[in-house]
Amino acid sequence: MENLTEENKKDEVADFSGNYIEKFQDKNAEEFFSGALVSWEKQGDAFVFHGELASLEIRIIASDILKFRHGIDGYFDDDFSYAIDPSFSPEQTNYKFEDQKAAFVIKTDVLKCYISKTTLQTKILTLDGTAVLEDEKGFHWQDHKHYGGNISICTRVLHQDEKFYGLGDKTGRLNLIGTKRELWGTDCYGYGNESDPVYKNIPFYMGQHSQVGYGIFMDNTFRSFFDFGKERKTVCSYWSQGGEMRYYYIHGPKLIDVVSKYAKLTGKPQLPPKWALGYHQSKWSYYPESVVRKLGDEFRSREIPCDVIHLDIDYMDGFRCFTWDDKKFPNPKQMISDLKAQGFKTVVIIDPGIKVDKNYSVYQEGIAGDHFCKRMDGDLLKASVWPGLCHFPDFTQKKTREWWATLFDGLVEDGVDGVWNDMNEPATFEDGTFPNDVRHDFDGHPGSHRKGHNVYGSLMAQSTWAGQKQFMQNKRPFTISRSAYAGIQKHASVWTGDNMASWEHLKIANIQCQRLAASGISFAGSDVGGFIGSPDGELYTRWIQMAVFHPFFRTHSSGDHGDKEPWKFDQKYVDIVRRFIEMRYELMPYIYSVFQHHSETGVPMIRSLHLEGHIDPETFYREEEFFLGDHLMICPVSEPDKSSRKMYLTSGQWYNYWTDQLIDGGLEIKVDTPLDQIPIFVRQGAIIPKQPKMQYVDEFEFDTLTLECYKPSADTSSTLYEDSGDGYDYLSTAGYVKKHLTSLIDGSNWMITQETEGEFESAYQTYEIKLHGLQQMPAQIVVDNEDLTAQVKFEGSISVLLVNKDFKQVVIKT
């Protein structure tokens, strides 16, 4: 950062690294407002209202999505975004525009938006007149005295009992009310529950009041701030330190609908390779080759399931990206091939820093192709990370992203199955990140690092994903990223960074993953057991039990803080950990089906209770309970020595996974939590598909798939999705099968029906149907008009029957 004079230092505050960062905004600076209406015009499905000092554009994206842009002095920026999915297009929408005496009104089939003629302030209401979002001061701005440009601000009325959620992987309480948060991706080693900012930059939040939910996505990559009633209890505000004030209003009315619509706007993920949903083992670092091979042998000999082994920075030659240390790994291709034969995939880390070394081919190519970031006066940026002094690619430049993608040829040829991007906030040793005067191309919209910082990591991950896809032929890429901007879900999974081995961090990880899922990023997880420090056996076990239900499931650790392989703990913990990892693999058909539904609809894989409860006030502040898909509710144990805990069940009825006890929802209950159990509940009427336990995904073909069927009280739908688990054949009907299972009560009969779409042929031929919720042996069971009662086994309280996988209807007569 430039030297600061004593005069302008008073407008800055020191951060943890000793740098100076901008304050939220200068309360003493003059504020400017749009002023009264001068003129207006219609441009397609957009209306532009010109005020005395600024203009407002409102574009109708859909009946429930409006896009707002504010142009100071009447000028709008180029409408460019890294977040919006390139395939997204506005819907054909019926709307009316009215020119009233004091305001204009835009009315769709869902909402009304008023625009004041005297101030250009806006107000959004439901059709029945409920005010959902209304300006307090509304849009205004200040001159940025230090950097030029403007600080653009929006202030809204904070309604009574309003709740706020989202903003990605923020720590702290799940409900954001009463907090102020910052988006400026930061390498925050050992962060705590009050740390802010952290790694990711997702300028999307949801609000809810008056039984109506909505979302605001402020698509701006500059350092940004969100205040949810901390400074002024009746005001919610958000602002950025540069760029245009551009945001989308997304109407619910349910919050889960808001998340789904946001995901469609910013992009839904493609299906990952199924193995990526298995268990991952990582450490900083596994080396040399003999250690990696021994690790694989230990998993297989101990029969603890694992799909993926990660290699951290020590596999490289002097930390040079895209190289191997030929002393530690003399034949990586053979090693990776041998690991594959044992059922392991290999993921390697790649950081953005390219070592300054004239004999290093990647450095040579970067120089020759003009791919590295430059300082304001034209010199190449130099900063230190693991290799020493490095240059850094400008991922905001298209040609650089394309060049970066070509670099993965060698790793893919060696057999590497996935890539893990780290240090991409971007992080450096000297100042924490790049100086603000670093220049970025921004795809033809050049600017400083103030503009490029928050999106840098996402663009690196996008390039990494593209490189894998380019060379992997008909295989699905797998990319992990530590830093992210809105839309990252199109290209990468994420993890929550350098956490700590503590009970507090187990709870933080739970909340972060829920918040990420509510921000469009379901494929997320934490470093199980904590990256920093050494958990005891109980903490590690409880963390595994929670992470089984997180989409990205990886143990990772800093080796100098002790090893965290599952067998490093006492045998009683090893046995429980093994059993829960086995459960992950047994539930793989359910988890994979949930991911497919997420990729198709944008509905989050894991969901906080408020996403399901909607208007149930008991869910507004609940933090630990969460859903995986429609039918499983989980509540981790986040304190030591707990043999029971309280939790809240949402409305309906729920079966205790362990005991089959049917319990009424809408109540707080006390649940037993011996060390080998955490609270898991199954929705009444659910059908949960389970496969045999395996040591890795698709280890073997099996003859029978189990359907755990829970007796319903009302029609309940479940889905089983299947494809080959890799490749892109699933994009045609020949490459997938989706089985729609419905469970219902018809008089005294319990009926289960199956309808299928797609032509993919499952390897198994038989379902093992397990009927939960019956007090005695059924009087009769008829499958597709054939009486199979004599074949039913009654085991405890569960009836078991084998049926053909292509059955149409099962009738259970009680």
Side-chain angles (χ1 to χ4, degrees):
M1 178 179 274
E2 302 91 329
N3 292 327
L4 299 176
T5 65
E6 290 302 318
E7 182 178 358
N8 63 32
K9 273 186 181 179
K10 66 184 180 183
D11 292 330
E12 313 273 332
V13 293
D15 70 5
F16 66 91
S17 65
N19 291 329
Y20 284 93
I21 61 173
E22 302 161 61
K23 292 173 68 174
F24 295 150
Q25 62 190 78
D26 187 347
K27 297 181 180 63
N28 299 317
E30 184 178 1
E31 294 179 336
F32 300 92
F33 295 82
S34 300
L37 179 75
V38 175
S39 63
W40 69 275
E41 58 191 297
K42 185 176 186 296
Q43 299 177 357
D45 286 330
F47 295 88
V48 182
F49 307 96
H50 299 287
E52 295 166 305
L53 296 181
S55 299
L56 164 65
E57 177 187 281
I58 302 178
R59 184 172 299 276
I60 298 128
I61 303 297
S63 61
D64 46 14
I65 302 177
L66 299 179
K67 178 181 179 181
F68 294 77
R69 300 175 67 200
H70 293 273
I72 296 171
D73 297 325
Y75 296 100
F76 292 96
D77 291 346
D78 285 348
D79 195 6
F80 175 80
S81 171
Y82 283 121
I84 302 301
D85 187 350
S87 67
F88 179 84
S89 59
E91 299 175 3
Q92 290 290 331
T93 304
N94 294 320
Y95 62 87
K96 295 180 180 179
F97 179 79
E98 298 178 7
D99 185 350
Q100 298 182 354
K101 183 176 181 181
F104 298 103
V105 184
I106 299 171
K107 183 178 179 181
T108 74
D109 295 337
V110 174
L111 53 83
K112 296 182 288 187
C113 178
Y114 286 81
I115 304 97
S116 167
K117 292 183 178 180
T118 55
T119 63
L120 297 193
Q121 289 175 304
T122 61
K123 185 175 183 179
I124 297 174
L125 303 87
T126 60
L127 295 183
D128 66 6
T130 301
V132 182
L133 189 75
E134 53 187 308
D135 283 342
E136 186 246 2
K137 290 182 179 180
F139 170 69
H140 54 288
W141 70 95
Q142 301 171 354
D143 288 334
H144 200 304
K145 303 299 183 185
H146 188 62
Y147 292 107
N150 302 291
I151 301 170
S152 296
I153 309 160
C154 274
T155 60
R156 312 291 193 192
V157 173
L158 197 161
H159 292 84
Q160 185 174 1
D161 297 324
E162 191 160 9
K163 285 77 60 180
F164 297 99
Y165 308 98
L167 288 189
D169 68 343
K170 293 298 186 186
T171 59
R173 299 297 301 269
L174 190 62
N175 189 332
L176 293 163
I177 188 69
T179 68
K180 184 182 289 184
R181 300 304 177 95
E182 178 181 357
L183 298 184
W184 184 254
T186 302
D187 178 7
C188 43
Y189 180 86
Y191 59 91
N193 202 35
E194 302 300 321
S195 298
D196 191 58
V198 286
Y199 298 97
K200 298 168 189 68
N201 314 291
I202 315 296
F204 166 71
Y205 75 86
M206 294 179 289
Q208 183 183 24
H209 64 90
S210 308
Q211 300 189 359
V212 178
Y214 68 92
I216 294 292
F217 170 44
M218 185 178 74
D219 191 5
N220 185 302
T221 62
F222 281 82
R223 188 195 295 265
S224 301
F225 304 88
F226 294 80
D227 186 315
F228 302 100
K230 181 175 178 63
E231 187 173 308
R232 291 189 288 158
K233 294 185 182 301
T234 59
V235 176
C236 169
S237 55
Y238 45 92
W239 60 97
S240 63
Q241 293 287 351
E244 180 180 86
M245 175 55 72
R246 176 174 58 218
Y247 64 91
Y248 295 79
Y249 170 86
I250 306 170
H251 192 78
K254 294 183 178 180
L255 290 181
I256 199 166
D257 299 328
V258 175
V259 180
S260 179
K261 294 167 187 176
Y262 166 79
K264 292 176 184 176
L265 187 67
T266 58
K268 294 170 290 187
Q270 296 183 17
L271 276 174
K274 192 194 292 186
W275 57 260
L277 296 173
Y279 175 69
H280 300 233
Q281 186 70 41
S282 182
K283 186 176 81 170
W284 179 25
S285 285
Y286 289 126
Y287 69 91
E289 176 182 319
S290 59
V291 170
V292 179
R293 289 180 178 275
K294 187 174 187 298
L295 178 71
D297 292 341
E298 290 276 12
F299 271 106
R300 295 298 176 244
S301 65
R302 295 173 181 273
E303 297 186 323
I304 298 174
C306 180
D307 261 274
V308 189
I309 293 174
H310 291 241
L311 301 181
D312 210 319
I313 56 176
D314 292 288
Y315 80 89
M316 303 177 196
D317 176 14
F319 308 126
R320 294 169 180 84
C321 294
F322 306 101
T323 69
W324 291 89
D325 184 321
D326 59 9
K327 293 184 176 60
K328 296 173 185 172
F329 296 92
N331 192 343
K333 190 171 186 176
Q334 186 63 53
M335 179 192 73
I336 292 170
S337 176
D338 291 345
L339 289 172
K340 285 187 194 298
Q342 291 181 285
F344 293 104
K345 302 297 189 293
T346 303
V347 169
V348 299
I349 196 169
I350 291 288
D351 292 346
I354 301 301
K355 183 176 178 62
V356 175
D357 176 357
K358 65 181 181 181
N359 297 314
Y360 172 31
S361 63
V362 177
Y363 170 81
Q364 294 168 348
E365 290 180 23
I367 293 290
D370 192 26
H371 295 302
F372 293 134
C373 293
K374 295 184 176 71
R375 302 293 296 268
M376 178 176 62
D377 294 329
D379 292 328
L380 291 174
L381 165 67
K382 288 190 290 188
S384 298
V385 280
W386 303 113
L389 278 180
C390 290
H391 295 325
F392 296 81
D394 180 7
F395 292 109
T396 74
Q397 188 169 222
K398 182 181 179 182
K399 72 171 186 176
T400 299
R401 295 195 297 274
E402 292 174 346
W403 165 70
W404 185 261
T406 68
L407 299 176
F408 289 91
D409 187 12
L411 291 176
V412 172
E413 173 64 23
D414 289 335
V416 167
D417 300 282
V419 180
W420 157 27
N421 286 159
D422 200 358
M423 302 290 285
N424 58 342
E425 287 68 38
T428 66
F429 291 162
E430 288 89 353
D431 297 319
T433 191
F434 297 172
N436 278 329
D437 75 334
V438 166
R439 308 301 298 169
H440 291 286
D441 178 72
F442 224 83
D443 282 276
H445 307 83
S448 73
H449 193 63
R450 296 175 61 243
K451 183 178 181 180
H453 175 91
N454 278 351
V455 78
Y456 188 91
S458 272
L459 294 175
M460 180 185 182
Q462 176 184 334
S463 310
T464 298
W465 178 89
Q468 294 173 81
K469 187 173 184 182
Q470 179 176 337
F471 297 110
M472 283 182 167
Q473 300 175 352
N474 192 40
K475 288 187 176 181
R476 305 172 195 171
F478 174 62
T479 307
I480 319 168
S481 181
R482 190 170 74 175
S483 182
Y485 183 68
I488 184 72
Q489 66 271 8
K490 297 190 290 291
H491 306 111
S493 60
V494 302
W495 89 104
T496 59
D498 295 342
N499 58 2
M500 302 181 72
S502 70
W503 290 95
E504 179 187 42
H505 269 265
L506 185 156
K507 186 174 180 179
I508 291 171
N510 183 8
I511 292 173
Q512 283 179 299
C513 288
Q514 290 181 54
R515 207 192 300 276
L516 281 162
S519 305
I521 309 169
S522 281
F523 202 179
S526 62
D527 286 346
V528 172
F531 178 71
I532 305 162
S534 299
D536 62 19
E538 183 186 8
L539 173 58
Y540 183 73
T541 299
R542 291 304 196 187
W543 208 315
I544 282 280
Q545 290 171 336
M546 173 182 72
V548 161
F549 301 97
H550 285 167
F552 180 48
F553 182 23
R554 180 182 75 162
T555 290
H556 183 45
S557 64
S558 176
D560 57 350
H561 290 272
D563 297 331
K564 295 188 180 71
E565 293 75 37
W567 52 86
K568 296 296 183 181
F569 304 94
D570 291 345
Q571 191 61 43
K572 69 175 182 178
Y573 300 115
V574 175
D575 292 339
I576 296 170
V577 165
R578 177 190 294 109
R579 181 67 199 106
F580 268 85
I581 298 177
E582 288 174 347
M583 182 190 294
R584 169 72 167 214
Y585 285 79
E586 290 170 347
L587 286 170
M588 189 60 67
Y590 178 78
I591 294 169
Y592 194 59
S593 299
V594 170
F595 203 118
Q596 191 279 331
H597 182 68
H598 166 59
S599 70
E600 184 176 40
T601 65
V603 172
M605 292 182 70
I606 66 171
R607 306 161 199 171
S608 306
L609 291 201
H610 64 263
L611 290 178
E612 289 286 333
H614 182 44
I615 60 174
D616 179 356
E618 278 292 329
T619 67
F620 295 160
Y621 295 91
R622 295 281 173 173
E623 296 186 326
E624 296 199 67
E625 307 93 328
F626 65 89
F627 287 81
L628 174 61
D630 292 333
H631 297 322
L632 293 182
M633 188 192 298
I634 297 94
C635 187
V637 176
S638 57
E639 296 178 1
D641 304 317
K642 289 294 182 181
S643 59
S644 66
R645 71 155 300 155
K646 291 182 178 180
M647 65 171 290
Y648 182 75
L649 291 177
T650 56
S651 62
Q653 289 188 301
W654 296 87
Y655 285 90
N656 185 313
Y657 177 85
W658 306 105
T659 67
D660 266 1
Q661 179 185 6
L662 184 62
I663 301 174
D664 290 333
L667 298 169
E668 184 176 73
I669 61 171
K670 186 176 182 181
V671 188
D672 290 337
T673 57
L675 185 62
D676 63 350
Q677 294 181 14
I678 62 169
I680 305 171
F681 286 84
V682 184
R683 189 186 299 276
Q684 185 183 35
I687 298 176
I688 307 295
K690 294 174 73 175
Q691 67 184 23
K693 66 182 181 182
M694 297 184 178
Q695 292 304 296
Y696 54 91
V697 164
D698 295 337
E699 177 189 7
F700 56 86
E701 291 186 350
F702 48 89
D703 296 329
T704 302
L705 182 82
T706 298
L707 298 180
E708 305 278 359
C709 304
Y710 293 82
K711 186 178 180 182
S713 61
D715 293 9
T716 307
S717 297
S718 302
T719 301
L720 171 59
Y721 172 86
E722 297 170 342
D723 61 24
S724 65
D726 207 344
Y728 292 93
D729 292 347
Y730 75 92
L731 296 177
S732 71
T733 56
Y736 77 91
V737 63
K738 187 181 291 187
K739 303 179 180 184
H740 302 280
L741 300 160
T742 302
S743 189
L744 58 94
I745 295 294
D746 182 12
S748 61
N749 297 334
W750 173 7
M751 299 174 63
I752 299 171
T753 63
Q754 177 179 229
E755 296 180 354
T756 64
E757 62 174 283
E759 301 164 12
F760 179 79
E761 190 66 29
S762 307
Y764 58 87
Q765 299 301 313
T766 305
Y767 288 133
E768 179 188 52
I769 292 182
K770 291 187 174 182
L771 302 173
H772 299 256
L774 299 177
Q775 302 306 311
Q776 58 188 13
M777 177 78 173
Q780 186 182 31
I781 292 187
V782 178
V783 180
D784 294 338
N785 297 319
E786 181 182 0
D787 190 335
L788 297 182
T789 309
Q791 300 179 27
V792 179
K793 297 178 182 178
F794 194 65
E795 301 176 352
S797 61
I798 302 171
S799 294
V800 183
L801 174 68
L802 295 178
V803 304
N804 186 282
K805 69 175 182 181
D806 297 319
F807 84 88
K808 302 298 182 184
Q809 185 181 74
V810 177
V811 180
I812 304 105
K813 298 184 178 182
T814 56

